[in-house]
Amino acid sequence: MYTEDVSLLVCPRTGNSLEIAEIAKSASDGELLEATLRTSDGTHTYAVRNGIPRFVDDIGYNPTWDFKWRVLDGGRGLNYRIIDKSDPAYQIHDLFDRNAHGGGAYEHGRGGVALDVGCGVGQYSVRLLQDYGPSKLISFDLTGGVDVFRKVVEERYPELKRRLLIVQADIFAMPFKKESFDLVFSLGVLMHTGDTRRAVGNILDLVKPQGHVNFWIYGSEPVAYAVSEPSRGFVLNMRTITEIQTRFRRVQWWIRLFRNRLPHAWTVNILRFMSSDFMYRLVKRPRWRWLYQWFPTVDHPDAAYRLINNYDGYVNKWSDSWSEGEIFPLLRDRGFVIRGLSEWRLGFWCSKDPGFYAEK
């Protein structure tokens, strides 16, 4: 972080402003590498380590994410494949462009202050900085992914450093002022917190009046009760619903086993084998495709990328899916107007306009 970044942070416990109490190490460009932040009333202090302000003592409610970034990724930045349009990962997992709404969802951050909630190793933060030009982007995550992110930025995108502040913090105790961001976005994170509605509400609190929020969470399957119009084309029917439910139950069986019954080391070894090049080639053969039906895996040529994403899918403790009807009342009650819905459910792009719902 840099000296000017302190004004963007507050104490997550009291909301008081912060100041630099001590600088132990700084870089030649003035970046604070090791320092201490202190509240204006002197009651609380927070460390800056590896250039990152730290507002958590442990990784709390979902330790698998920390393992995913620190151990399985190990500083390689594997998820940066997602923002490479020439990589198969882009077609499988890209959330940034699928939730761009023609770019409108991100344009409001141009020249302003933006926030990436649950940045992980930061691939979507990089896309926003490169393509939509916020003057400052704060990217925060609960886990050690922030250290991987910093390493990737140092090695690949040093020109972005001054416009980026990486923070380690908890979404349920964020070190930011309310109504202080022009754009807040969060892609594929909030449903992993164990309290999705509260997490959504917390990020809505950070948006300025007339500011924008863009978030994506897992969507539950919608079911059409009556299907007869010929123009509708393919829709879910009882057969496809049954197939989806069958596959879901198979995946859930493995998830319950990995989460609750097997030692974590066993789980990692099983997933490592199922993500191996041997299994990747085997399930491509017609005779062995049934293995994929019983143990669906990410279809990507790189074994390391398969492993980190299979681990994500099978081991995360919290991963509820949601419908539009469950989330919309929260948006309406906070004065957010829907500007766009993602075609890949469940994504909302909204602007903050409390007067929209006022009685005429």
Side-chain angles (χ1 to χ4, degrees), residues 196-360:
T196 304
R197 283 195 181 94
R198 183 182 167 203
V200 171
N202 282 1
I203 70 169
L204 298 180
D205 287 342
L206 300 176
V207 181
K208 292 179 180 178
Q210 307 307 316
H212 289 234
V213 64
N214 187 32
F215 65 94
W216 185 92
I217 57 178
Y218 291 161
S220 57
E221 290 297 339
V223 177
Y225 292 106
V227 180
S228 58
E229 297 178 21
S231 65
R232 295 185 70 178
F234 173 79
V235 296
L236 288 174
N237 54 41
M238 290 311 298
R239 179 178 178 182
T240 56
I241 291 170
T242 300
E243 290 173 351
I244 290 169
Q245 289 174 335
T246 299
R247 180 168 176 177
F248 180 74
R249 283 194 294 268
R250 290 170 180 169
V251 171
Q252 286 296 304
W253 187 90
W254 287 104
I255 289 174
R256 286 193 295 270
L257 181 66
F258 290 156
R259 284 179 183 170
N260 303 319
R261 299 187 180 182
L262 289 181
H264 183 254
W266 293 19
T267 293
V268 173
N269 287 333
I270 292 171
L271 286 169
R272 197 179 299 278
F273 174 72
M274 295 306 296
S275 305
S276 66
D277 288 333
F278 169 77
M279 289 300 298
Y280 179 72
R281 292 190 295 266
L282 185 66
V283 297
K284 296 289 186 183
R285 300 178 181 180
R287 183 181 301 178
W288 294 99
R289 284 177 184 164
W290 62 270
L291 284 172
Y292 179 80
Q293 296 298 320
W294 281 96
F295 197 104
T297 65
V298 174
D299 187 14
H300 189 278
D302 179 45
Y305 183 81
R306 291 197 299 271
L307 174 60
I308 199 169
N309 285 281
N310 285 333
Y311 179 87
D312 186 347
Y314 282 106
V315 187
N316 269 312
K317 182 177 182 180
W318 305 107
S319 56
D320 283 17
S321 58
W322 299 82
S323 69
E324 289 84 352
E326 292 177 291
I327 300 300
F328 171 69
L330 178 59
L331 300 172
R332 178 197 59 212
D333 294 345
R334 299 294 185 95
F336 281 82
V337 180
I338 296 175
R339 302 288 296 271
L341 295 174
S342 173
E343 294 181 1
W344 186 15
R345 301 174 64 248
L346 180 62
F348 289 94
W349 165 34
C350 308
S351 59
K352 187 173 184 177
D353 183 8
F356 182 86
Y357 297 104
E359 293 185 7
K360 305 298 184 182

Side-chain angles (χ1 to χ4, degrees), residues 85-121:
K85 294 182 179 181
S86 67
D87 194 291
Y90 177 84
Q91 300 300 327
I92 301 170
H93 286 135
D94 179 66
L95 289 173
F96 191 88
D97 285 335
R98 296 190 194 195
N99 289 274
H101 304 278
Y106 303 122
E107 277 292 344
H108 202 75
R110 191 178 297 277
V113 181
L115 178 69
D116 182 357
V117 178
C119 64
V121 296

